[in-house]
Amino acid sequence: MEIIKTIDHMQQASDGIRMEGESLALVPTMGYLHEGHLTLMRAAKDHCDRLVVSLFVNPTQFGPNEDFEAYPRDTQGDLKKAEDVRADIVFMPSAKEMYPQGAQTSVVVKDLPQHLCGLSRSGHFDGVTTVVAKLFHIVKPHAAVFGQKDYQQLAVISRMVMDLDMDIRIIGVPTVREADGLAMSSRNSYLNPEERMSALSLKKSLDLAQRLFHEGEKNAQMVKDFVRSYILEHPHTKIDYISLCDPVTLEDANTLADGTLMALAVRVGKTRLIDNGRLKK
């Protein structure tokens, strides 16, 4: 496994792989890798000949009161895990390498970020789309793999790729969960044991919504009210949003239908967690 830290070196390596006629997949990460990330990497290897994993905690997607400095990091552990899944290259640029002094350009998707997490994280998705666009130009992948746990991120990046005619296949992988149902996240490490128990209310509330829908409930507000009450029964929970929406536009749905997306963001203690699921008949 090769470790690359500069843009020029990464571009040269990608050019070499392409000249050899091999396909290249990218899994962008902010490090502190867990089984969810490793599942994305294994999926990427199923689709392409060579795998690049990026490890970069992107400062531009963190707001002024968010956890950039405290975001968990474990570089040596990450490299070992990437090697274990047989990544070919780990791209580890510095912030100075990715955002040189005087940089003025950003990539903005207009409408999709105006929903869900974008409502309380102003500028977050501008940071996401800008860094992912840069990674796409640097790594030059044929395919890029993202988790469906970050559903809005996947939707925004897919829209960017479509709108800018990027010749990259975007692959979404279903949410990977702990044995107790909690969606895997680097931020789970912030939870103490009592908060961890309350965090399970996210997945259980998705199951509650699915059960109500299966039993014939079509009123979105009714389902939201049930879910809100259920989550707030658990200690240390504060709801950021509960959304039942169109899975493509992310616009609110008043009447539930097969495929409606339910997305949640809940603070458990000081930790902000997200989860989502599609309602099925």
Side-chain angles (χ1 to χ4, degrees), residues 8-106:
D8 285 347
H9 187 183
M10 185 66 250
Q11 289 179 322
Q12 291 168 13
S14 294
D15 286 342
I17 291 169
R18 282 176 164 265
M19 287 178 65
E20 292 171 4
E22 293 189 307
S23 58
L24 181 61
L26 170 65
V27 177
T29 83
M30 294 207 299
Y32 208 68
L33 303 180
H34 51 66
E35 184 58 31
H37 296 111
L38 304 185
T39 299
L40 302 184
M41 296 175 199
R42 296 185 192 105
K45 290 182 70 67
D46 287 341
H47 288 276
C48 291
D49 301 314
R50 307 286 287 276
L51 169 62
V52 176
V53 176
S54 64
L55 301 178
F56 180 63
V57 183
N58 176 37
T60 67
Q61 68 190 69
F62 289 81
N65 298 314
E66 295 184 332
D67 59 348
F68 173 70
E69 294 298 337
Y71 193 83
R73 294 163 171 84
D74 179 18
T75 301
Q76 292 308 309
D78 290 343
L79 292 175
K80 176 65 166 60
K81 289 172 183 173
E83 187 170 34
D84 286 346
V85 297
R86 301 173 63 188
D88 296 280
I89 297 171
V90 172
F91 179 48
M92 297 176 51
S94 66
K96 185 177 180 180
E97 180 77 6
M98 289 295 284
Y99 299 108
Q101 187 174 4
Q104 301 179 38
T105 304
S106 62

Side-chain angles (χ1 to χ4, degrees), residues 117-164:
C117 290
L119 294 175
S120 61
R121 304 187 72 188
S122 178
H124 168 73
F125 286 106
D126 295 351
V128 170
T129 46
T130 298
V131 76
V132 170
K134 287 175 70 69
L135 288 170
F136 286 173
H137 286 295
I138 294 164
V139 178
K140 308 176 187 180
H142 297 87
V145 182
F146 297 86
Q148 293 176 4
K149 181 183 81 73
D150 297 297
Y151 189 96
Q152 187 174 18
Q153 174 179 273
L154 176 59
V156 168
I157 290 168
S158 298
R159 185 80 247 179
M160 176 188 74
V161 167
M162 183 185 304
D163 290 349
L164 297 182

